[in-house]
C-alpha cells in the first residue's frame, strides 16, 4: 500500500493518525502496569530454623490502605495496584520506632508472600512468589506413591501432611 | 385542523410515552416502594444504561434505523473485560484497559456490520438483528473454545475446569463500580455517581457537536434521502459505515460501564439483550425509526426502568407472584418495540394521506413543498 503525502493536509492527517496510534499504545502500557493488581500475603511467623522471630504485636499498612493488627503466627492479605509500594509498620511496643520501607513486586506475579520478620531482620528475599498448593495434584501424587488401607487412613495421612489449604 | 384532530394527533404521536406513564402511575402505588427508593434506583439505572442507549442515536440520524447490531460492540467490550480480569487490572484502569482492548475489535466489527448493512439498504434493522445472532456464534467459539487453548489465559480462576473456555459467570470484583465510586456524591438521601454522569455528559456534548460537523451534516443528509445525498456528492456508503462504527464503539464502552455497575458478567448471555433493551428504551422515550433525540433517550431510560423496577413488586403484591412482573418485563420490552414500529408505519401512512388531501385541495393554486414531500412518502 502506497501512502501519498503530497499536500500539507494529507501530511497533517498522517501525523495525527501516527500520534493517535502512539497514544493508544502509551495509554495501554500505562494502565497495564499501573493498574495491575497483586495480592500480598503479609506474614508474621517464626522461621523454621529460628533464624528470625515473629514480631510480638504490630500494625501494618501498605500504601494508604487501612492498617491491620498482627500477632505472632498471623497472616493477612492486602490487594495492591502497581509494582512499587510502601509498607509502614508500627509496633505495639512503643519503645520501638516506626518502620517504613518501599519494595517492588514483579509485574507477572499475582500473589506474593511478604515476611515482615524477615524484612525487619534484613534477610533477602523477604518477598517470595506464593503458589497455593494444588490439592488435586498432590493428592494424585500421594495416592500413587503410597497405598492406603482405607479412605480414613488416606484422609488422615493427607491431614497430617498439611495438604489442605488454610489448615 | 380542528382541536379534536389536533389532540388526537398529539395522543397518537406520543402514544408509547403516554402508555408508559399511565402504567407506571398505576404500578407505583401497588409496588409499595417509597419515592426515595424509586428515585435512588433511577439515578443508578440512568448511569448504568444511558451510554448504551445514546449509542443508538447516530445510526438513526444516518437513516439506518435502530442499530440492533450494537450487540457486536457489547461483545467487544466483554472481551476487553475478560482480558482486564485475566491480567488482574483493577479499578478504573481496568475499565480503560477493557475499553482499549475493545476499541479496535468494535471498530472492526462495526465496519463489518456497516458493510453488510450497505448491502441491505432499507432492511438495516432486521439485518443487524440477524448479524448479531451470527456474531454471537463467532463470539461463543472465540470465548468458549479458543480462550485458554489458542489465546493464552493467565488466570486459571476464570477458566472452565476442563482447562479452556471462560466460565459462565465472571466475577468483576476487580473493576466493580470503579467508575461509579470514582466520584460518588451524596445529596441528602441520594448517592449520585458523578463520574459516570460526567462520562455520559461528555458523550452528549460529543453527539451535539458531531451533528454540527461536516460529517454529522452528511449523516443527516444521508438519513433524509439517500439518492439526493448521493447526487450532492456525499459518500453515502462510507458515511453509513462511519455511523455504525461509531455506534458500535460507543456500545462497547456502554457495555463496559453497564457491567462495571452490575459487578459480574454472564459471559455468554450478557450481550444478548443489550440491543433489545436499548432499542426498547429509546422507543419508550418517544423516538421513532427515523427520529430520535437526547431527550428521547433519557426519558425512555427513566420510564422503561421505572416500569422494570416497580412491575415485579406490583405483580407480587397484586397477584402474589413476582413472576407476573417478570413476565410483564419481557412482554413490555417486546411489546413496546412492536407497538412503536406499528405506530411508525401508521403515522407514515397517515401523513401521506394528509399530504395527499392538502395536495388535492391546493391542486389549482399550486403545490406546496411539504405536500409534495408527504405524498412522496
Amino acid at each position: 500500500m502506497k501512502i501519498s503525502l503530497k499536500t500539507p493536509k494529507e501530511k497533517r492527517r498522517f501525523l495525527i493518525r501516527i500520534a493517535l496510534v502512539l497514544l493508544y499504545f502509551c495509554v495501554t502500557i500505562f494502565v497495564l502496569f499501573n493498574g495491575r493488581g497483586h495480592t500480598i500475603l503479609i506474614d508474621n511467623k517464626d522461621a523454621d530454623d529460628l533464624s528470625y522471630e515473629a514480631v510480638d504485636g504490630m500494625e501494618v499498612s501498605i500504601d494508604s490502605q487501612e492498617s491491620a493488627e498482627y500477632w505472632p503466627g498471623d497472616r493477612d492479605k492486602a490487594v495492591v495496584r502497581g509494582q512499587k509500594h510502601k509498607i509502614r509498620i508500627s509496633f505495639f511496643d512503643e519503645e520501638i520506632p516506626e518502620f517504613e520501607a518501599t519494595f517492588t513486586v514483579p509485574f507477572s506475579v499475582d500473589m506474593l508472600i511478604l515476611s515482615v520478620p524477615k524484612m525487619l531482620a534484613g534477610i533477602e528475599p523477604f518477598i517470595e512468589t506464593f503458589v497455593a498448593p494444588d490439592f488435586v495434584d498432590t493428592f494424585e501424587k500421594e495416592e500413587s506413591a503410597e497405598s492406603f488401607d482405607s479412605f480414613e487412613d488416606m484422609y488422615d495421612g493427607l491431614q497430617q501432611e498439611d495438604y489442605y489449604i488454610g489448615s | 385542523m380542528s382541536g379534536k384532530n389536533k389532540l388526537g394527533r398529539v395522543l397518537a404521536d406520543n402514544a408509547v410515552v403516554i402508555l408508559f406513564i399511565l402504567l407506571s402511575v398505576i404500578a407505583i402505588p401497588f409496588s409499595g416502594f417509597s419515592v426515595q427508593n424509586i428515585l435512588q434506583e433511577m439515578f443508578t439505572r440512568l448511569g448504568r444504561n444511558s451510554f448504551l442507549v445514546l449509542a443508538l442515536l447516530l445510526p438513526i440520524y444516518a437513516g439506518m434505523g435502530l442499530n440492533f447490531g450494537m450487540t457486536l460492540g457489547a461483545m467487544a467490550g466483554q472481551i476487553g473485560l475478560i482480558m482486564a480480569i485475566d491480567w488482574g487490572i483493577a479499578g478504573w484502569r481496568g475499565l480503560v484497559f477493557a475499553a482499549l482492548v475493545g476499541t479496535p475489535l468494535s471498530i472492526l466489527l462495526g465496519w463489518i456490520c456497516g458493510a453488510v448493512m450497505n448491502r441491505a439498504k432499507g432492511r438495516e434493522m432486521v439485518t443487524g438483528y440477524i448479524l448479531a445472532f451470527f456474531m454471537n456464534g463467532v463470539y461463543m467459539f472465540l470465548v468458549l473454545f479458543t480462550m485458554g487453548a489458542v489465546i493464552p489465559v493467565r488466570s486459571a480462576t476464570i477458566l472452565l475446569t476442563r482447562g479452556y473456555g471462560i466460565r459462565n459467570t465472571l466475577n468483576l470484583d476487580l473493576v466493580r463500580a470503579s467508575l461509579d465510586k470514582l466520584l460518588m456524591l451524596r445529596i441528602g438521601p441520594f448517592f449520585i455517581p458523578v463520574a459516570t454522569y460526567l462520562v455520559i455528559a461528555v458523550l452528549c456534548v460529543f453527539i451535539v457537536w458531531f451533528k454540527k460537523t461536516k460529517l454529522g451534516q452528511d449523516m443527516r443528509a444521508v438519513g433524509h434521502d439517500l439518492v439526493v445525498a448521493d447526487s450532492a456528492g456525499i459518500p453515502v456508503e462510507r458515511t453509513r459505515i462511519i455511523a455504525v462504527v461509531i455506534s458500535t464503539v460507543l456500545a462497547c464502552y456502554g457495555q463496559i460501564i453497564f457491567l462495571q455497575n452490575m459487578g459480574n458478567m454472564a459471559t455468554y448471555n450478557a450481550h444478548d439483550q443489550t440491543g433489545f433493551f436499548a432499542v426498547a428504551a429509546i422507543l419508550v422515550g418517544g423516538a421513532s425509526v427515523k427520529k430520535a433525540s437526547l431527550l428521547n433517550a433519557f426519558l425512555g431510560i427513566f420510564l422503561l426502568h421505572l416500569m422494570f423496577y416497580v412491575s415485579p413488586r406490583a405483580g407480587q403484591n397484586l397477584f402474589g407472584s413476582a413472576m407476573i412482573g417478570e413476565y410483564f418485563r419481557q412482554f413490555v420490552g417486546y411489546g413496546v418495540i412492536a407497538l412503536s414500529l406499528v405506530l411508525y408505519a401508521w403515522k407514515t401512512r397517515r401523513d401521506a394521506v394528509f399530504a395527499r388531501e392538502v395536495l388535492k385541495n391546493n391542486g389549482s393554486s399550486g403545490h406546496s413543498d411539504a405536500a409534495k414531500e408527504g405524498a412522496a412518502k
Side-chain angles (χ1 to χ4, degrees):
Chain A
M1 198 174 81
K2 200 178 169 186
I3 302 166
S4 107
L5 296 171
K6 285 174 190 164
T7 62
K9 197 180 172 186
E10 281 172 340
K11 277 181 192 166
R12 199 181 64 189
R13 187 176 288 172
F14 179 73
L15 286 175
I16 288 172
R17 284 178 184 173
I18 292 285
L20 281 175
V21 172
L22 283 175
L23 181 72
Y24 176 84
F25 283 108
C26 289
V27 176
T28 307
I29 290 167
F30 171 76
V31 291
L32 190 64
F33 281 90
N34 213 267
R36 175 83 168 95
H38 304 274
T39 304
I40 300 178
L41 300 173
I42 301 160
D43 198 60
N44 185 27
K45 289 180 182 171
D46 297 330
D48 291 339
D49 59 0
L50 295 174
S51 55
Y52 55 88
E53 281 183 11
V55 180
D56 193 17
M58 63 178 171
E59 249 183 43
V60 179
S61 73
I62 302 232
D63 299 334
S64 53
Q65 294 183 17
E66 204 176 318
S67 59
E69 287 185 359
Y70 290 79
W71 296 98
D74 279 356
R75 179 184 283 180
D76 206 343
K77 72 168 186 177
V79 180
V80 295
R81 276 199 292 266
Q83 282 71 57
K84 205 167 181 183
H85 305 284
K86 196 158 93 173
I87 185 168
R88 182 182 289 125
I89 304 167
S90 52
F91 302 92
F92 290 170
D93 183 350
E94 284 172 3
E95 284 177 11
I96 309 173
E98 236 180 50
F99 178 88
E100 259 188 33
T102 52
F103 61 94
T104 311
V105 295
F107 172 78
S108 60
V109 182
D110 290 327
M111 199 178 266
L112 303 112
I113 186 157
L114 186 154
S115 170
V116 177
K118 239 171 147 179
M119 184 172 68
L120 294 172
I123 301 168
E124 291 279 352
F126 56 85
I127 295 181
E128 285 170 283
T129 305
F130 178 80
V131 183
D134 191 333
F135 174 71
V136 179
D137 279 0
T138 321
F139 179 87
E140 280 167 2
K141 275 179 206 159
E142 198 63 32
E143 194 181 29
S144 59
E146 289 180 36
S147 62
F148 297 100
D149 294 331
S150 66
F151 178 76
E152 283 73 24
D153 286 352
M154 184 177 77
Y155 182 79
D156 290 345
L158 291 173
Q159 284 265 316
Q160 282 160 18
E161 292 295 330
D162 203 12
Y163 284 132
Y164 286 95
I165 301 165
S167 64
Chain B
M1 199 186 289
S2 70
K4 199 181 170 188
N5 275 353
K6 252 185 193 172
L7 181 70
R9 213 178 166 84
V10 170
L11 286 176
D13 285 347
N14 300 293
V16 183
V17 183
I18 294 165
L19 180 71
F20 261 76
I21 291 173
L22 277 177
L23 284 172
S24 302
V25 167
I26 295 166
I28 288 170
F30 288 110
S31 72
F33 286 126
S34 65
V35 175
Q36 183 187 324
N37 198 326
I38 291 172
L39 280 177
Q40 177 60 63
E41 196 62 29
M42 288 306 109
F43 282 132
T44 310
R45 286 172 186 238
L46 267 171
R48 185 194 295 162
N49 291 286
S50 296
F51 211 98
L52 275 171
V53 180
L54 291 171
L56 286 170
L57 288 176
L58 292 188
I60 295 176
Y61 294 151
M64 300 174 83
L66 304 155
N67 181 21
F68 283 99
M70 70 184 293
T71 308
L72 276 61
M75 289 177 202
Q78 286 175 199
I79 290 174
L81 276 173
I82 292 172
M83 294 287 182
I85 298 300
D86 180 36
W87 279 89
I89 302 167
W92 62 266
R93 295 164 186 88
L95 298 183
V96 174
F97 183 79
L100 288 168
V101 172
T103 302
L105 281 173
S106 51
I107 289 173
L108 177 72
L109 290 170
W111 182 80
I112 292 170
C113 188
V116 171
M117 282 178 177
N118 273 342
R119 282 165 176 76
K121 288 191 191 92
R123 299 181 298 277
E124 288 92 351
M125 284 198 286
V126 71
T127 307
Y129 203 69
I130 298 302
L131 191 65
F133 276 121
F134 169 71
M135 275 303 178
N136 191 30
V138 177
Y139 170 84
M140 287 228 184
F141 173 72
L142 201 74
V143 178
L144 193 58
F145 291 103
T146 64
M147 283 196 171
V150 181
I151 300 167
V153 173
R154 299 177 66 258
S155 170
T157 52
I158 67 165
L159 284 179
L160 291 166
T161 45
R162 68 182 182 190
Y164 62 91
I166 303 298
R167 282 178 189 273
N168 290 0
T169 307
L170 207 60
N171 187 349
L172 301 180
D173 262 352
L174 283 177
V175 294
R176 186 195 294 264
S178 47
L179 182 63
D180 298 337
K181 284 181 184 165
L182 200 63
L183 204 62
M184 188 68 89
L185 191 69
R186 187 171 181 170
I187 302 174
F190 303 115
F191 290 92
I192 316 285
V194 178
T196 313
Y197 280 114
L198 277 176
V199 172
I200 294 163
V202 168
L203 178 60
C204 291
V205 171
F206 168 78
I207 289 170
V208 171
W209 167 80
F210 186 80
K211 274 169 77 177
K212 290 175 185 165
T213 60
K214 162 89 172 59
L215 189 60
Q217 295 292 335
D218 285 357
M219 239 173 236
R220 295 179 80 178
V222 168
H224 195 65
D225 197 315
L226 278 177
V227 181
V228 173
D230 193 37
S231 308
I234 295 169
V236 170
E237 301 215 332
R238 183 176 167 271
T239 309
R240 283 160 57 94
I241 288 179
I242 291 172
V244 178
V245 167
I246 296 175
S247 172
T248 314
V249 172
L250 293 178
C252 163
Y253 300 158
Q255 183 75 349
I256 292 168
I257 293 173
F258 175 83
L259 290 172
Q260 63 85 33
N261 181 277
M262 299 297 284
N264 60 56
M265 180 174 106
T267 313
Y268 302 103
N269 307 102
H271 55 276
D272 271 357
Q273 303 276 308
T274 304
F276 168 71
F277 280 119
V279 164
I282 204 160
L283 291 176
V284 167
S288 74
V289 176
K290 287 272 178 193
K291 202 175 158 220
S293 66
L294 292 173
L295 181 69
N296 294 141
F298 289 113
L299 180 66
I301 298 162
F302 184 84
L303 287 177
L304 188 75
H305 283 277
L306 179 63
M307 174 59 72
F308 280 0
Y309 185 56
V310 297
S311 66
R313 185 62 76 88
Q316 168 81 44
N317 292 343
L318 275 174
F319 305 104
S321 165
M323 286 309 291
I324 296 281
E326 282 301 317
Y327 156 75
F328 201 58
R329 191 194 285 245
Q330 288 289 325
F331 169 76
V332 161
Y334 285 105
V336 76
I337 293 177
L339 180 65
S340 298
L341 295 179
V342 168
L343 280 174
Y344 174 71
W346 174 74
K347 264 188 262 175
T348 312
R349 191 172 289 182
R350 183 198 62 187
D351 289 347
V353 170
F354 177 69
R356 227 175 284 139
E357 274 174 19
V358 172
L359 210 60
K360 258 188 222 166
N361 295 340
N362 298 344
S364 54
S365 58
H367 309 297
S368 71
D369 286 345
K372 271 184 192 171
E373 194 184 303
K377 272 184 190 173

